[in-house]
Amino acid sequence: MKIGLKSWAGAMAGAALLGAVSVVPAHAGATAEGQFETYISGWRVGNESRRWWDNNDTWDYTGIYFSGCVSDGGSGFNHASLQLWKDISSAPDRSKGTRSNYCGWVDYGDPDDRGNYYFALTDIYSGTFLSVDYVKVAW
């Protein structure tokens, strides 16, 4: 009888520990308001991403992640300048900053402003065309 109780108590403690460990990562990732994944093929300076709506329901930063970056320059891909814009329908679009992406993650902070957003390629350091195998935008 004691062995059964010890086994049951051990199983319950293990289940509680597993539940506590698995809740933390799920909760941490659930705070982002939105995201999408895509790729870039043969972009030139001036090309723009698709638009996305940010309700500004969270205080999360807006970020852009690149992986698998290639440019046609002789020295290969170094970095790309990306400008985040808020799309304004009846006025000029509003810049939310420019960041250099070295084929990784860049943050623009919390735009603190609901609306449609997009990013544009403003410069490629080494080359005239940019391709990126994997792009993730999160806000």
Side-chain angles (χ1 to χ4, degrees), residues 21 45 48 75 90 93 99 129:
V21 169
V45 169
E48 300 175 352
S75 60
S90 59
D93 293 348
R99 304 286 187 273
F129 292 99

Side-chain angles (χ1 to χ4, degrees), residues 40-122:
I40 290 173
S41 180
W43 268 26
R44 287 179 171 260
V45 169
N47 284 122
E48 300 175 352
S49 71
R50 63 169 257 208
R51 269 59 169 170
W52 66 88
W53 181 261
D54 185 344
N55 270 330
N56 198 37
D57 288 338
T58 64
W59 295 279
D60 288 332
Y61 288 179
T62 296
I64 301 168
Y65 176 77
F66 280 2
S67 176
C69 305
V70 178
S71 64
D72 63 333
S75 60
F77 178 81
N78 184 336
H79 66 280
S81 287
L82 305 176
Q83 190 165 15
L84 181 66
W85 291 94
K86 180 179 179 192
D87 190 353
I88 309 292
S89 60
S90 59
D93 293 348
R94 188 171 328 137
S95 174
K96 294 293 188 168
T98 301
R99 304 286 187 273
S100 293
N101 192 315
Y102 291 87
C103 207
W105 189 259
V106 292
D107 284 320
Y108 290 86
D110 180 7
D112 200 27
D113 197 8
R114 67 184 298 185
N116 275 319
Y117 288 86
Y118 65 95
F119 68 90
L121 179 64
T122 59

